[in-house]
Amino acid sequence: RRLLRERPDDPAAHLVAAAEALSTDDPARAREHAEHALRSQPELAEAELLLARACVESGDQSCARRALNALADAPRRLRPATEALRQRLARR
């Protein structure tokens, strides 16, 4: 939280906040932070991945699909997590 207070417009600070929100089972707050990071830096694949996870966890399938589609050209290191989220979404 301190990082976010010190750098409220920093996409990296919002990535950390989104990850923390997911770790405390708060997908709505995670979504807010991931979307903020994407507004600042639209090509930030990590933010898109966190957004997809927040949407899957909150049950917002259309949001999850949009985020996962945006990850079609994600870096190779993010592909396993992206595929895992696609599988979770398919089971819902």
Side-chain angles (χ1 to χ4, degrees):
R1 291 185 185 192
R2 189 176 119 236
L3 178 64
L4 198 55
R5 279 193 306 272
E6 291 172 0
R7 301 181 344 205
D9 295 322
D10 184 352
H14 284 278
L15 282 180
V16 170
E20 286 176 354
L22 285 169
S23 74
T24 60
D25 199 28
D26 191 349
R29 194 174 60 131
R31 182 176 177 170
E32 290 173 19
H33 287 294
E35 288 174 338
H36 191 285
L38 286 166
R39 283 193 298 275
S40 300
Q41 196 172 346
E43 71 284 354
L44 192 59
E46 290 83 355
E48 203 72 63
L49 182 62
L50 288 169
L51 175 60
R53 184 172 161 209
C55 292
V56 167
E57 290 187 13
S58 69
D60 187 339
Q61 293 185 358
S62 63
C63 169
R65 282 191 196 94
R66 281 192 306 274
L68 288 168
N69 287 340
L71 286 165
D73 296 323
R76 172 175 259 142
R77 63 186 162 70
L78 298 180
R79 290 184 188 153
T82 301
E83 185 55 34
L85 284 172
R86 286 186 197 285
Q87 290 174 6
R88 281 182 61 192
L89 183 62
R91 288 192 299 261
R92 290 185 176 238

